Coordinates of all heavy atoms in Angstrom, one line a residue:
M1 N -65.1 -34.6 -0.5 CA -63.9 -34.9 0.2 C -62.9 -35.6 -0.7 O -63.3 -36.5 -1.5 CB -64.2 -35.8 1.4 CG -63.0 -36.2 2.2 SD -63.5 -37.1 3.6 CE -62.0 -37.2 4.5
C2 N -61.7 -35.3 -0.6 CA -60.6 -35.8 -1.4 C -60.1 -37.1 -0.8 O -59.8 -37.2 0.3 CB -59.5 -34.8 -1.6 SG -58.1 -35.5 -2.6
E3 N -60.0 -38.2 -1.7 CA -59.5 -39.4 -1.2 C -58.0 -39.6 -1.3 O -57.4 -40.4 -0.6 CB -60.1 -40.6 -2.0 CG -61.6 -40.7 -1.7 CD -62.3 -41.8 -2.5 OE1 -61.6 -42.7 -3.0 OE2 -63.5 -41.7 -2.7
V4 N -57.3 -38.7 -2.1 CA -55.9 -38.8 -2.3 C -55.1 -38.1 -1.2 O -54.2 -38.7 -0.7 CB -55.5 -38.3 -3.7 CG1 -54.0 -38.3 -3.9 CG2 -56.2 -39.1 -4.8
L5 N -55.5 -36.9 -1.0 CA -54.9 -36.1 0.1 C -56.0 -35.7 1.1 O -56.5 -34.5 1.0 CB -54.1 -34.9 -0.4 CG -52.9 -35.2 -1.3 CD1 -52.4 -34.0 -2.0 CD2 -51.8 -35.8 -0.5
P6 N -56.5 -36.6 1.9 CA -57.7 -36.3 2.7 C -57.6 -35.3 3.8 O -58.6 -34.7 4.2 CB -58.1 -37.7 3.2 CG -56.8 -38.4 3.3 CD -56.0 -37.9 2.2
T7 N -56.4 -35.1 4.3 CA -56.2 -34.2 5.5 C -54.9 -33.3 5.3 O -54.0 -33.7 4.5 CB -56.0 -34.9 6.8 OG1 -54.9 -35.8 6.7 CG2 -57.2 -35.8 7.1
E8 N -54.9 -32.2 5.9 CA -53.7 -31.4 5.9 C -52.5 -32.2 6.5 O -52.7 -33.1 7.3 CB -53.9 -30.1 6.7 CG -54.8 -29.2 6.0 CD -55.0 -27.8 6.7 OE1 -54.3 -27.6 7.7 OE2 -55.9 -27.1 6.3
S9 N -51.3 -32.1 5.9 CA -50.1 -32.8 6.2 C -50.1 -34.2 5.5 O -49.1 -34.9 5.6 CB -49.9 -33.0 7.7 OG -49.7 -31.7 8.3
A10 N -51.2 -34.6 4.8 CA -51.1 -35.8 4.1 C -50.1 -35.7 3.0 O -49.9 -34.6 2.4 CB -52.5 -36.2 3.5
R11 N -49.5 -36.8 2.6 CA -48.4 -36.8 1.6 C -48.7 -37.8 0.5 O -49.3 -38.9 0.7 CB -47.1 -37.2 2.2 CG -46.6 -36.2 3.2 CD -45.2 -36.5 3.7 NE -44.8 -35.5 4.6 CZ -43.7 -35.6 5.3 NH1 -42.9 -36.6 5.3 NH2 -43.4 -34.6 6.1
L12 N -48.3 -37.4 -0.7 CA -48.4 -38.3 -1.9 C -47.0 -38.4 -2.4 O -46.4 -37.4 -2.7 CB -49.4 -37.6 -2.9 CG -49.4 -38.2 -4.3 CD1 -50.0 -39.6 -4.3 CD2 -50.1 -37.3 -5.2
R13 N -46.6 -39.6 -2.6 CA -45.3 -39.8 -3.2 C -45.5 -40.6 -4.5 O -46.3 -41.5 -4.6 CB -44.4 -40.6 -2.3 CG -44.0 -39.9 -1.1 CD -43.1 -40.7 -0.2 NE -42.8 -39.9 1.0 CZ -42.9 -40.4 2.2 NH1 -43.2 -41.7 2.4 NH2 -42.7 -39.7 3.3
Y14 N -44.7 -40.2 -5.6 CA -44.8 -40.9 -6.8 C -43.5 -40.8 -7.6 O -42.6 -39.9 -7.3 CB -46.0 -40.4 -7.7 CG -45.8 -39.0 -8.2 CD1 -45.4 -38.7 -9.5 CD2 -46.1 -37.9 -7.4 CE1 -45.2 -37.5 -10.0 CE2 -46.0 -36.6 -7.9 CZ -45.5 -36.4 -9.2 OH -45.4 -35.1 -9.7
V15 N -43.3 -41.7 -8.5 CA -42.1 -41.7 -9.4 C -42.6 -41.3 -10.8 O -43.5 -41.8 -11.3 CB -41.5 -43.1 -9.5 CG1 -40.3 -43.1 -10.4 CG2 -41.0 -43.5 -8.1
Y16 N -42.0 -40.2 -11.3 CA -42.3 -39.7 -12.7 C -41.1 -40.1 -13.6 O -39.9 -40.0 -13.2 CB -42.4 -38.2 -12.6 CG -42.6 -37.6 -14.0 CD1 -43.9 -37.6 -14.5 CD2 -41.6 -37.0 -14.7 CE1 -44.1 -37.0 -15.8 CE2 -41.8 -36.5 -15.9 CZ -43.0 -36.5 -16.5 OH -43.3 -36.0 -17.7
D17 N -41.4 -40.6 -14.7 CA -40.4 -41.0 -15.7 C -39.6 -42.2 -15.2 O -38.6 -42.1 -14.6 CB -39.5 -39.9 -16.1 CG -38.6 -40.2 -17.3 OD1 -38.4 -41.4 -17.6 OD2 -38.2 -39.3 -18.0
L18 N -40.2 -43.4 -15.3 CA -39.6 -44.6 -14.7 C -38.2 -44.8 -15.2 O -37.4 -45.5 -14.6 CB -40.5 -45.8 -15.0 CG -41.9 -45.7 -14.3 CD1 -42.8 -46.9 -14.7 CD2 -41.8 -45.6 -12.8
G19 N -37.9 -44.3 -16.4 CA -36.5 -44.5 -16.9 C -35.5 -43.6 -16.1 O -34.4 -44.1 -15.8
D20 N -35.9 -42.4 -15.7 CA -35.0 -41.6 -15.0 C -35.2 -41.6 -13.4 O -34.4 -41.1 -12.7 CB -35.1 -40.1 -15.4 CG -34.5 -39.9 -16.8 OD1 -33.5 -40.5 -17.1 OD2 -35.1 -39.0 -17.5
Q21 N -36.3 -42.2 -13.0 CA -36.6 -42.4 -11.6 C -36.6 -41.0 -10.8 O -35.9 -40.9 -9.9 CB -35.6 -43.3 -10.9 CG -35.7 -44.8 -11.4 CD -37.0 -45.4 -10.9 OE1 -37.2 -45.4 -9.7 NE2 -37.7 -46.0 -11.8
W22 N -37.4 -40.1 -11.3 CA -37.6 -38.8 -10.6 C -38.6 -39.1 -9.5 O -39.8 -39.3 -9.7 CB -38.1 -37.7 -11.5 CG -37.1 -37.4 -12.6 CD1 -35.8 -37.7 -12.6 CD2 -37.3 -36.6 -13.7 NE1 -35.2 -37.2 -13.8 CE2 -36.1 -36.5 -14.5 CE3 -38.5 -35.9 -14.2 CZ2 -36.0 -35.8 -15.6 CZ3 -38.4 -35.2 -15.4 CH2 -37.1 -35.1 -16.1
H23 N -38.2 -39.0 -8.3 CA -39.1 -39.2 -7.1 C -39.6 -37.8 -6.6 O -38.9 -36.9 -6.5 CB -38.3 -39.9 -6.0 CG -37.9 -41.3 -6.3 ND1 -38.6 -42.4 -5.8 CD2 -36.9 -41.7 -7.1 CE1 -38.0 -43.5 -6.3 NE2 -37.0 -43.1 -7.1
H24 N -40.9 -37.8 -6.4 CA -41.6 -36.5 -6.0 C -42.4 -36.8 -4.8 O -42.9 -37.9 -4.6 CB -42.5 -36.0 -7.1 CG -41.8 -35.7 -8.4 ND1 -41.2 -34.5 -8.6 CD2 -41.6 -36.4 -9.5 CE1 -40.7 -34.5 -9.8 NE2 -40.9 -35.7 -10.4
E25 N -42.6 -35.8 -4.0 CA -43.5 -35.8 -2.8 C -44.3 -34.6 -2.8 O -43.7 -33.5 -2.9 CB -42.7 -36.0 -1.5 CG -43.5 -36.1 -0.3 CD -42.8 -36.3 1.0 OE1 -42.3 -37.4 1.2 OE2 -42.5 -35.3 1.7
I26 N -45.6 -34.7 -2.7 CA -46.5 -33.6 -2.5 C -47.1 -33.7 -1.1 O -47.6 -34.7 -0.7 CB -47.6 -33.7 -3.6 CG1 -47.0 -33.5 -5.0 CG2 -48.7 -32.6 -3.3 CD1 -48.0 -33.8 -6.1
T27 N -47.1 -32.6 -0.4 CA -47.6 -32.5 0.9 C -48.7 -31.4 0.9 O -48.5 -30.3 0.5 CB -46.6 -32.1 2.0 OG1 -45.5 -33.0 1.9 CG2 -47.2 -32.1 3.4
L28 N -49.9 -31.8 1.4 CA -51.0 -30.9 1.5 C -50.8 -30.0 2.7 O -50.9 -30.5 3.8 CB -52.4 -31.6 1.6 CG -53.6 -30.7 1.7 CD1 -53.8 -29.8 0.5 CD2 -54.8 -31.6 1.9
Q29 N -50.5 -28.8 2.5 CA -50.2 -27.9 3.6 C -51.4 -27.2 4.2 O -51.5 -27.0 5.4 CB -49.1 -26.9 3.2 CG -47.8 -27.5 2.9 CD -46.8 -26.5 2.4 OE1 -47.1 -25.4 2.0 NE2 -45.5 -26.8 2.5
K30 N -52.3 -26.9 3.3 CA -53.5 -26.1 3.8 C -54.6 -26.3 2.8 O -54.4 -26.3 1.6 CB -53.1 -24.6 3.9 CG -54.1 -23.7 4.4 CD -53.5 -22.3 4.5 CE -54.5 -21.3 5.1 NZ -53.9 -20.0 5.2
T31 N -55.8 -26.4 3.3 CA -57.0 -26.4 2.4 C -57.6 -25.0 2.5 O -57.9 -24.4 3.5 CB -58.0 -27.4 2.9 OG1 -57.4 -28.7 3.0 CG2 -59.2 -27.5 2.0
L32 N -57.8 -24.4 1.3 CA -58.3 -23.0 1.2 C -59.8 -23.1 0.8 O -60.2 -24.0 0.1 CB -57.6 -22.3 0.1 CG -56.1 -22.2 0.3 CD1 -55.4 -21.5 -1.0 CD2 -55.7 -21.4 1.5
P33 N -60.6 -22.1 1.3 CA -62.0 -22.0 0.9 C -62.1 -21.8 -0.6 O -61.2 -21.1 -1.2 CB -62.6 -20.9 1.7 CG -61.4 -20.2 2.3 CD -60.2 -21.0 2.2
A34 N -63.1 -22.3 -1.2 CA -63.3 -22.2 -2.7 C -63.5 -20.7 -3.0 O -64.3 -20.0 -2.3 CB -64.4 -23.0 -3.2
D35 N -62.9 -20.2 -4.1 CA -63.1 -18.9 -4.6 C -63.9 -19.0 -5.9 O -63.4 -19.6 -6.8 CB -61.7 -18.2 -4.8 CG -61.8 -16.8 -5.3 OD1 -62.9 -16.3 -5.6 OD2 -60.8 -16.2 -5.4
P36 N -65.0 -18.3 -6.0 CA -65.8 -18.4 -7.2 C -65.2 -17.8 -8.4 O -65.5 -18.2 -9.5 CB -67.2 -17.7 -6.8 CG -66.8 -16.9 -5.7 CD -65.7 -17.5 -4.9
D37 N -64.2 -17.0 -8.2 CA -63.5 -16.4 -9.3 C -62.2 -17.2 -9.8 O -61.5 -16.8 -10.7 CB -63.0 -14.9 -9.0 CG -64.2 -14.1 -8.7 OD1 -65.3 -14.3 -9.4 OD2 -64.1 -13.2 -7.9
T38 N -62.0 -18.3 -9.1 CA -60.8 -19.1 -9.5 C -61.2 -20.3 -10.3 O -62.2 -21.0 -9.9 CB -60.1 -19.5 -8.2 OG1 -59.6 -18.4 -7.4 CG2 -58.9 -20.4 -8.5
I39 N -60.4 -20.6 -11.3 CA -60.6 -21.8 -12.1 C -59.8 -22.9 -11.4 O -58.6 -22.7 -11.2 CB -60.2 -21.6 -13.6 CG1 -61.1 -20.5 -14.2 CG2 -60.3 -22.9 -14.3 CD1 -60.7 -20.1 -15.5
Y40 N -60.4 -24.1 -11.2 CA -59.7 -25.1 -10.5 C -59.4 -26.3 -11.5 O -60.2 -26.5 -12.4 CB -60.5 -25.6 -9.3 CG -60.6 -24.6 -8.2 CD1 -61.7 -23.8 -8.1 CD2 -59.6 -24.4 -7.3 CE1 -61.8 -22.8 -7.1 CE2 -59.6 -23.4 -6.3 CZ -60.8 -22.6 -6.2 OH -60.9 -21.7 -5.3
P41 N -58.4 -27.1 -11.3 CA -57.4 -27.0 -10.2 C -56.5 -25.9 -10.4 O -56.3 -25.3 -11.5 CB -56.6 -28.4 -10.4 CG -56.7 -28.7 -11.8 CD -58.0 -28.2 -12.2
A42 N -55.9 -25.4 -9.3 CA -55.0 -24.3 -9.3 C -53.8 -24.6 -8.3 O -54.0 -25.2 -7.3 CB -55.7 -23.0 -8.8
C43 N -52.6 -24.2 -8.7 CA -51.4 -24.3 -7.8 C -51.3 -22.9 -7.2 O -51.3 -21.9 -7.8 CB -50.2 -24.6 -8.7 SG -48.7 -24.7 -7.7
T44 N -51.2 -22.9 -5.8 CA -51.1 -21.6 -5.1 C -49.7 -21.3 -4.7 O -49.4 -20.2 -4.3 CB -52.0 -21.7 -3.9 OG1 -51.7 -22.7 -3.0 CG2 -53.5 -21.8 -4.3
A45 N -48.8 -22.3 -4.6 CA -47.4 -22.0 -4.2 C -46.6 -23.3 -4.6 O -47.1 -24.3 -4.9 CB -47.4 -21.8 -2.7
G46 N -45.3 -23.1 -4.5 CA -44.4 -24.2 -4.8 C -42.9 -23.6 -4.7 O -42.7 -22.5 -4.6
S47 N -42.0 -24.6 -4.9 CA -40.6 -24.1 -4.8 C -39.7 -25.2 -5.5 O -40.1 -26.3 -5.7 CB -40.1 -24.0 -3.4 OG -40.2 -25.2 -2.7
G48 N -38.5 -24.8 -5.8 CA -37.6 -25.7 -6.4 C -37.5 -25.6 -7.9 O -38.5 -25.3 -8.5
D49 N -36.4 -25.9 -8.4 CA -36.2 -26.0 -9.9 C -36.7 -27.3 -10.4 O -36.7 -28.3 -9.6 CB -34.8 -25.8 -10.3 CG -34.3 -24.4 -10.0 OD1 -35.1 -23.5 -9.8 OD2 -33.1 -24.2 -9.9
T50 N -37.1 -27.4 -11.6 CA -37.6 -28.6 -12.2 C -36.6 -29.1 -13.3 O -36.1 -28.3 -14.1 CB -38.9 -28.5 -12.9 OG1 -38.8 -27.5 -13.9 CG2 -40.0 -28.0 -11.9
P51 N -36.3 -30.4 -13.3 CA -35.5 -30.9 -14.4 C -36.2 -30.8 -15.8 O -37.4 -30.9 -15.8 CB -35.3 -32.4 -14.1 CG -35.8 -32.6 -12.7 CD -36.7 -31.4 -12.4
I52 N -35.5 -30.5 -16.8 CA -36.1 -30.4 -18.1 C -36.4 -31.7 -18.6 O -35.6 -32.7 -18.6 CB -35.1 -29.6 -19.1 CG1 -34.9 -28.2 -18.5 CG2 -35.6 -29.6 -20.5 CD1 -33.9 -27.4 -19.3
E53 N -37.6 -31.9 -19.2 CA -38.1 -33.2 -19.7 C -37.1 -33.8 -20.6 O -36.6 -33.2 -21.6 CB -39.5 -32.9 -20.3 CG -40.1 -34.2 -20.8 CD -40.8 -35.0 -19.7 OE1 -41.1 -34.4 -18.7 OE2 -40.9 -36.2 -19.9
D54 N -36.9 -35.1 -20.5 CA -36.0 -35.9 -21.3 C -34.7 -35.3 -21.5 O -34.1 -35.4 -22.6 CB -36.7 -36.1 -22.7 CG -38.0 -37.0 -22.6 OD1 -38.0 -37.9 -21.7 OD2 -38.9 -36.7 -23.3
S55 N -34.1 -34.7 -20.5 CA -32.8 -34.2 -20.5 C -31.8 -35.3 -20.1 O -32.2 -36.2 -19.4 CB -32.6 -32.9 -19.7 OG -32.9 -33.2 -18.3
W56 N -30.6 -35.2 -20.4 CA -29.6 -36.2 -20.0 C -28.3 -35.4 -19.7 O -28.1 -34.3 -20.1 CB -29.4 -37.3 -21.0 CG -28.9 -36.8 -22.3 CD1 -29.6 -36.3 -23.4 CD2 -27.5 -36.7 -22.7 NE1 -28.7 -36.0 -24.4 CE2 -27.5 -36.2 -24.0 CE3 -26.3 -37.1 -22.1 CZ2 -26.3 -36.0 -24.7 CZ3 -25.1 -36.8 -22.7 CH2 -25.1 -36.3 -24.0
T57 N -27.5 -36.1 -18.9 CA -26.2 -35.5 -18.5 C -25.2 -36.6 -18.3 O -25.5 -37.7 -18.2 CB -26.4 -34.7 -17.2 OG1 -25.2 -34.1 -16.9 CG2 -26.9 -35.5 -16.1
D58 N -23.9 -36.2 -18.4 CA -22.8 -37.1 -18.1 C -22.9 -37.4 -16.6 O -23.3 -36.5 -15.8 CB -21.5 -36.5 -18.5 CG -21.4 -36.4 -20.0 OD1 -21.9 -37.2 -20.8 OD2 -20.7 -35.4 -20.5
E59 N -22.4 -38.5 -16.2 CA -22.4 -38.9 -14.8 C -21.7 -37.8 -14.0 O -20.6 -37.4 -14.4 CB -21.7 -40.2 -14.6 CG -21.9 -40.8 -13.2 CD -22.4 -42.2 -13.2 OE1 -22.8 -42.7 -14.3 OE2 -22.4 -42.8 -12.2
G60 N -22.3 -37.4 -12.9 CA -21.7 -36.4 -12.0 C -22.0 -35.0 -12.4 O -21.7 -34.0 -11.7
T61 N -22.6 -34.8 -13.5 CA -23.0 -33.4 -14.0 C -24.5 -33.2 -13.6 O -25.3 -34.1 -13.9 CB -22.8 -33.2 -15.5 OG1 -21.4 -33.6 -15.8 CG2 -23.1 -31.8 -15.9
P62 N -24.8 -32.1 -13.0 CA -26.3 -31.8 -12.7 C -27.1 -31.7 -14.0 O -26.7 -31.3 -15.0 CB -26.3 -30.5 -11.9 CG -24.9 -30.0 -11.9 CD -24.0 -31.0 -12.6
Y63 N -28.4 -32.2 -13.8 CA -29.3 -32.1 -14.9 C -29.6 -30.6 -15.1 O -29.7 -29.8 -14.2 CB -30.7 -32.7 -14.5 CG -30.7 -34.2 -14.8 CD1 -30.5 -35.1 -13.7 CD2 -31.0 -34.7 -16.0 CE1 -30.5 -36.5 -13.9 CE2 -31.0 -36.1 -16.2 CZ -30.7 -37.0 -15.2 OH -30.7 -38.3 -15.4
P64 N -29.9 -30.2 -16.4 CA -30.3 -28.8 -16.6 C -31.7 -28.6 -16.0 O -32.5 -29.6 -16.0 CB -30.4 -28.7 -18.1 CG -30.3 -30.1 -18.7 CD -29.8 -31.0 -17.6
T65 N -32.0 -27.5 -15.4 CA -33.2 -27.2 -14.8 C -33.9 -25.9 -15.2 O -33.3 -25.1 -15.9 CB -33.0 -27.1 -13.2 OG1 -32.2 -26.1 -12.9 CG2 -32.5 -28.4 -12.7
R66 N -35.2 -25.8 -14.9 CA -35.9 -24.5 -15.1 C -36.4 -24.1 -13.7 O -36.8 -24.9 -12.9 CB -37.2 -24.8 -15.9 CG -37.0 -24.7 -17.4 CD -38.3 -24.7 -18.1 NE -38.9 -26.1 -18.1 CZ -38.9 -26.9 -19.1 NH1 -38.4 -26.5 -20.2 NH2 -39.4 -28.1 -19.0
P67 N -36.5 -22.8 -13.5 CA -37.0 -22.3 -12.2 C -38.5 -22.6 -12.1 O -39.2 -22.6 -13.1 CB -36.7 -20.8 -12.1 CG -36.4 -20.5 -13.5 CD -36.0 -21.7 -14.3
F68 N -39.0 -22.8 -10.8 CA -40.4 -22.9 -10.6 C -41.2 -21.7 -11.1 O -40.8 -20.6 -10.7 CB -40.7 -23.1 -9.1 CG -42.1 -23.3 -8.7 CD1 -42.7 -24.6 -8.8 CD2 -42.9 -22.3 -8.3 CE1 -44.0 -24.8 -8.5 CE2 -44.2 -22.4 -8.0 CZ -44.8 -23.7 -8.1
D69 N -42.2 -21.9 -11.8 CA -43.0 -20.7 -12.4 C -44.5 -20.9 -12.1 O -45.2 -21.7 -12.8 CB -42.7 -20.7 -13.9 CG -43.4 -19.5 -14.6 OD1 -44.4 -18.9 -14.0 OD2 -42.9 -19.0 -15.6
L70 N -44.9 -20.3 -11.0 CA -46.3 -20.5 -10.5 C -47.3 -20.2 -11.6 O -48.3 -20.9 -11.8 CB -46.5 -19.7 -9.3 CG -47.9 -19.8 -8.7 CD1 -48.2 -21.2 -8.2 CD2 -48.1 -18.8 -7.5
K71 N -47.1 -19.0 -12.3 CA -48.1 -18.6 -13.3 C -48.2 -19.6 -14.5 O -49.3 -20.0 -14.9 CB -47.7 -17.2 -13.9 CG -48.8 -16.7 -14.8 CD -48.4 -15.3 -15.2 CE -49.5 -14.7 -16.1 NZ -49.2 -13.4 -16.5
K72 N -47.1 -20.1 -14.9 CA -47.0 -21.1 -16.0 C -47.7 -22.4 -15.6 O -48.5 -23.0 -16.3 CB -45.6 -21.4 -16.5 CG -45.5 -22.3 -17.7 CD -44.1 -22.6 -18.0 CE -43.6 -21.5 -19.0 NZ -42.2 -21.8 -19.5
I73 N -47.4 -22.8 -14.4 CA -48.0 -24.1 -13.9 C -49.6 -23.9 -13.8 O -50.3 -24.8 -14.2 CB -47.4 -24.5 -12.5 CG1 -46.0 -24.9 -12.7 CG2 -48.3 -25.6 -11.8 CD1 -45.2 -25.1 -11.5
S74 N -50.0 -22.8 -13.2 CA -51.5 -22.6 -13.1 C -52.1 -22.6 -14.5 O -53.2 -23.1 -14.7 CB -51.8 -21.3 -12.3 OG -51.4 -21.5 -11.0
T75 N -51.5 -22.0 -15.5 CA -52.0 -21.9 -16.8 C -52.1 -23.3 -17.4 O -53.2 -23.7 -18.0 CB -51.1 -21.0 -17.7 OG1 -51.1 -19.7 -17.2 CG2 -51.7 -21.0 -19.1
R76 N -51.1 -24.1 -17.2 CA -51.1 -25.5 -17.7 C -52.2 -26.3 -17.0 O -52.9 -27.1 -17.7 CB -49.8 -26.1 -17.6 CG -48.8 -25.5 -18.5 CD -47.4 -26.2 -18.5 NE -47.6 -27.5 -19.1 CZ -46.6 -28.4 -19.0 NH1 -45.5 -28.2 -18.4 NH2 -46.8 -29.6 -19.6
L77 N -52.4 -26.1 -15.7 CA -53.5 -26.9 -15.0 C -54.8 -26.5 -15.6 O -55.7 -27.4 -15.8 CB -53.4 -26.6 -13.5 CG -52.4 -27.2 -12.7 CD1 -52.3 -26.7 -11.3 CD2 -52.6 -28.7 -12.7
T78 N -55.1 -25.2 -15.9 CA -56.3 -24.8 -16.4 C -56.6 -25.5 -17.8 O -57.7 -25.9 -18.1 CB -56.3 -23.3 -16.6 OG1 -56.1 -22.7 -15.3 CG2 -57.6 -22.8 -17.2
K79 N -55.6 -25.5 -18.6 CA -55.7 -26.2 -19.9 C -56.0 -27.6 -19.8 O -56.7 -28.2 -20.6 CB -54.5 -25.9 -20.8 CG -54.3 -24.5 -21.2 CD -53.1 -24.3 -22.0 CE -52.9 -22.8 -22.4 NZ -51.6 -22.6 -23.1
Q80 N -55.4 -28.3 -18.8 CA -55.6 -29.7 -18.6 C -57.1 -30.0 -18.3 O -57.6 -31.0 -18.7 CB -54.7 -30.3 -17.5 CG -53.3 -30.3 -17.9 CD -53.0 -31.3 -19.0 OE1 -53.6 -32.4 -19.1 NE2 -52.1 -30.9 -19.9
K81 N -57.7 -29.2 -17.5 CA -59.0 -29.4 -17.1 C -60.0 -29.3 -18.3 O -61.0 -30.0 -18.3 CB -59.5 -28.4 -16.0 CG -60.8 -28.7 -15.5 CD -61.2 -27.8 -14.3 CE -62.5 -28.2 -13.8 NZ -62.9 -27.5 -12.6
T82 N -59.7 -28.5 -19.3 CA -60.7 -28.3 -20.4 C -60.5 -29.4 -21.4 O -61.3 -29.5 -22.3 CB -60.5 -26.9 -21.0 OG1 -59.1 -26.8 -21.5 CG2 -60.8 -25.9 -20.0
R83 N -59.5 -30.3 -21.3 CA -59.3 -31.3 -22.4 C -60.3 -32.5 -22.2 O -60.7 -32.8 -21.2 CB -57.9 -31.8 -22.3 CG -57.0 -30.8 -22.9 CD -55.6 -31.4 -22.9 NE -54.7 -30.3 -23.5 CZ -53.4 -30.5 -23.5 NH1 -52.8 -31.6 -23.1 NH2 -52.7 -29.5 -24.0

């Protein structure tokens, strides 16, 4: 059993990059049965653009972003697990 997101609809909020104060919220929408052919952890869905790491902008100008890329995120998660 997971202690961080123990039930569906549970939320996790955190601040990434304390200098830039990027606030994030993760909501557990659904728990899927384990698939023996899947390497975990895995991201199954997501949305929204992501700010580029250590980017900066003049006041009032939007941060440069990258589109959400499910395949790239899942690949990075797989590499993190093996370290």
Side-chain angles (χ1 to χ4, degrees):
M1 177 175 193
C2 179
E3 295 178 19
V4 177
L5 295 169
T7 60
E8 290 182 9
S9 299
R11 293 182 179 173
L12 167 70
R13 294 182 181 132
Y14 68 98
V15 177
Y16 177 81
D17 194 333
L18 297 175
D20 288 327
Q21 293 289 308
W22 294 347
H23 293 259
H24 299 275
E25 180 176 282
I26 297 172
T27 303
L28 178 62
Q29 295 178 337
K30 185 177 183 181
T31 302
L32 303 173
D35 178 354
D37 296 327
T38 299
I39 298 172
Y40 294 98
C43 180
T44 59
S47 63
D49 292 342
T50 61
I52 297 174
E53 183 77 26
D54 294 326
S55 59
W56 63 274
T57 181
D58 294 328
E59 192 129 348
T61 305
Y63 278 97
T65 61
R66 271 191 285 258
F68 180 84
D69 185 333
L70 180 62
K71 186 174 181 179
K72 185 182 268 186
I73 289 169
S74 292
T75 299
R76 289 183 73 188
L77 283 171
T78 301
K79 289 178 183 177
Q80 289 295 323
K81 185 172 182 177
T82 60
R83 288 184 181 175

